[in-house]
Amino acid sequence: MSQFIQLHLLTSYPPANLNRDDQGRPKTAKMGGSERLRVSSQSLKRNWRISDVFDDALKTEQTNRIGIRTKLLGVNIYKGLLNKAVKEKDAVKWAQLIASQFGKLKKEDKNDVLAGLEIEQLVHISQAENNAINALVETIATEQREPEKEELDLLRKSERDVDMALFGRMLASSPEFNVEAACQVAHAISVHPVIIEDDYFTAVDDLNNNEDTGAAHIGEAGFAAGLFYTYICINKTQLIENLDNDKALADKALAALTEAAVKVSPQGKQNSFATRAYASYVLAEMGEQQPRSLSASFLKAIDKQESDDFEVTAIARLRKQYQAFDDVYGQCADARYELSVAESKGKLTELLAFVSE
């Protein structure tokens, strides 16, 4: 049986544009008949994996267990070969040979030498694979020869990095090196209806001392405030397997992911809104039972008619929902830990110890 860890978070953000749609406005979703604010899981995972929290936990001077997601692998190799005095024509060909092991390359463009070095899709590369690439680049540059066929076996099934083990990897051209994600993240949604407002703003030219003191720039930006519910489900058994059965590293990964989830905010429009926020409430659950989200707690949106304190009401709804699931389906988790800022309940250190025990 797999062991699951489930995290349920409530995080309040003041007016912000945390995650933009194709029109530059905050993302939304319909739920329970009302429009909610939304932050995509892709945005959340990206901000967690590049956060200082992940760096502090998983990088040292000696080791780095955070992978690289890029389309520019071939471009990087090409520049590395040029820096080692390889002729440009050879650098292009050798970089293409190496990069194509990780994905299909874009078509060449006679007007842009770099175009044919890009991989069509983002690929996730482990540090072990990156080290192997760097060693091969050093060798072929020193010996001034193209890589041999057996030297191009650069993909690795072992020594996966933590972010790859958590969030998975898909290589269309080499599916045998795919990694099944151990962590699932739902799109965060507001627990109440929202209306997107518009900020009409101007900027003033400091050197304009003329009588014409009109604005040097005029713009508009959509924004909204919200209390978000976020759900994260981690298959700890899968995570340990993905990390070559290194339980200590898996525990470190779980603690880093949890701390990032409760502390790290999406980066959208941070400079304009300074929307730094910690989770106000966290429910962590552990057990071998099949996981279930508690999003049904907010199928009916919280509104002013129900409560003036959305946070207190949201916490009460989550508690009622998991207790109702327990009543109907039996105990849905072997153990639980709660952290509630509003009630001065729980400690982050205890939460991290709980998820990584």
Side-chain angles (χ1 to χ4, degrees):
M1 294 285 284
S2 296
Q3 185 177 45
F4 295 96
I5 295 171
Q6 300 177 81
L7 300 173
H8 310 268
L9 280 63
L10 291 172
T11 310
S12 176
Y13 288 98
N17 190 344
L18 299 168
N19 188 202
R20 283 166 275 179
D21 64 14
D22 59 342
Q23 304 297 314
R25 298 175 67 78
K27 287 186 175 179
T28 58
K30 288 276 189 180
M31 181 172 168
S34 62
E35 188 168 56
R36 316 293 183 91
L37 270 181
R38 176 171 66 92
V39 177
S40 71
S41 58
Q42 295 90 339
S43 170
L44 294 170
K45 288 185 284 189
R46 160 76 176 164
N47 284 292
W48 297 339
R49 63 180 287 275
I50 64 169
S51 67
D52 289 342
V53 173
F54 254 49
D55 273 4
D56 291 346
L58 302 165
K59 275 186 182 178
T60 66
E61 289 185 3
Q62 291 76 35
T63 61
N64 178 3
R65 298 307 302 265
I66 303 174
I68 304 163
R69 290 185 75 212
T70 183
K71 296 166 75 173
L72 303 178
L73 178 63
V75 175
N76 201 43
I77 294 168
Y78 163 78
K79 291 179 179 177
L81 288 167
L82 288 183
N83 288 337
K84 296 179 186 302
V86 174
K87 295 178 183 175
E88 180 173 4
K89 184 178 178 182
D90 289 337
V92 170
K93 182 181 178 183
W94 301 353
Q96 288 176 326
L97 283 171
I98 296 172
S100 61
Q101 303 306 305
F102 293 84
K104 185 179 178 182
L105 300 180
K106 291 183 177 178
K107 289 182 180 178
E108 293 188 56
D109 182 345
K110 62 181 180 182
N111 298 316
D112 183 2
V113 68
L114 300 183
L117 296 170
E118 280 193 36
I119 299 172
E120 287 188 342
Q121 297 175 325
L122 281 171
V123 293
H124 205 151
I125 302 162
S126 70
Q127 290 296 333
E129 291 164 342
N130 194 46
N131 292 339
I133 292 168
N134 291 337
L136 178 56
V137 167
E138 185 69 37
T139 299
I140 60 178
T142 302
E143 299 177 6
Q144 292 291 307
R145 62 167 178 83
E146 74 175 48
E148 297 175 1
K149 185 174 183 300
E150 57 272 18
E151 292 177 313
L152 293 172
D153 294 332
L154 296 162
L155 285 159
R156 300 282 185 269
K157 289 185 177 179
S158 60
E159 297 182 80
R160 294 163 176 153
D161 291 323
V162 163
D163 51 347
M164 185 185 291
L166 281 168
F167 305 131
R169 168 165 84 171
M170 194 189 80
L171 294 172
S173 57
S174 303
E176 66 271 29
F177 293 97
N178 287 351
V179 180
E180 182 70 23
C183 175
Q184 301 166 343
V185 181
H187 291 217
I189 55 162
S190 66
V191 303
H192 51 79
V194 295
I195 297 174
I196 306 298
E197 300 178 71
D198 290 305
D199 178 29
Y200 173 83
F201 63 91
T202 63
V204 177
D205 187 330
D206 289 345
L207 299 183
N208 181 6
N209 297 317
N210 298 325
E211 290 183 359
D212 177 9
T213 56
H217 174 78
I218 296 172
E220 287 185 359
F223 69 91
L227 174 63
F228 287 84
Y229 168 68
T230 306
Y231 172 65
I232 304 165
C233 176
I234 308 124
N235 184 332
K236 186 173 181 177
T237 307
Q238 180 76 54
L239 179 61
I240 294 172
E241 182 181 317
N242 287 352
L243 292 172
D244 305 323
N245 296 312
D246 188 338
K247 185 177 180 303
L249 182 58
D251 287 341
K252 190 182 288 188
L254 285 166
L257 174 68
T258 303
E259 184 171 356
V262 303
K263 283 185 172 179
V264 176
S265 305
Q267 295 297 305
K269 291 279 187 182
Q270 274 290 349
N271 290 344
S272 299
F273 292 100
T275 46
R276 303 284 185 180
Y278 286 4
S280 301
Y281 175 82
V282 183
L283 169 65
E285 300 179 297
M286 185 182 300
E288 295 182 343
Q289 298 87 341
Q290 279 300 301
R292 81 284 176 263
S293 164
L294 298 178
S295 61
S297 308
F298 309 111
L299 194 56
K300 179 187 176 186
I302 299 174
D303 58 29
K304 286 283 290 181
Q305 293 179 332
E306 179 183 358
S307 171
D308 286 332
D309 194 330
F310 286 11
E311 184 177 292
V312 169
T313 303
I315 293 171
R317 283 201 189 184
L318 282 175
R319 286 171 176 160
K320 182 179 179 182
Q321 188 69 39
Y322 79 67
Q323 286 162 1
F325 272 131
D326 283 357
D327 291 342
V328 173
Y329 290 101
Q331 197 73 12
C332 294
D334 294 333
R336 292 188 172 102
Y337 184 87
E338 277 187 293
L339 182 155
S340 173
V341 175
E343 300 162 304
S344 296
K345 177 181 180 181
K347 299 285 184 187
L348 176 63
T349 51
E350 294 175 358
L351 171 67
L352 301 185
F354 176 83
V355 299
S356 58
E357 68 184 15

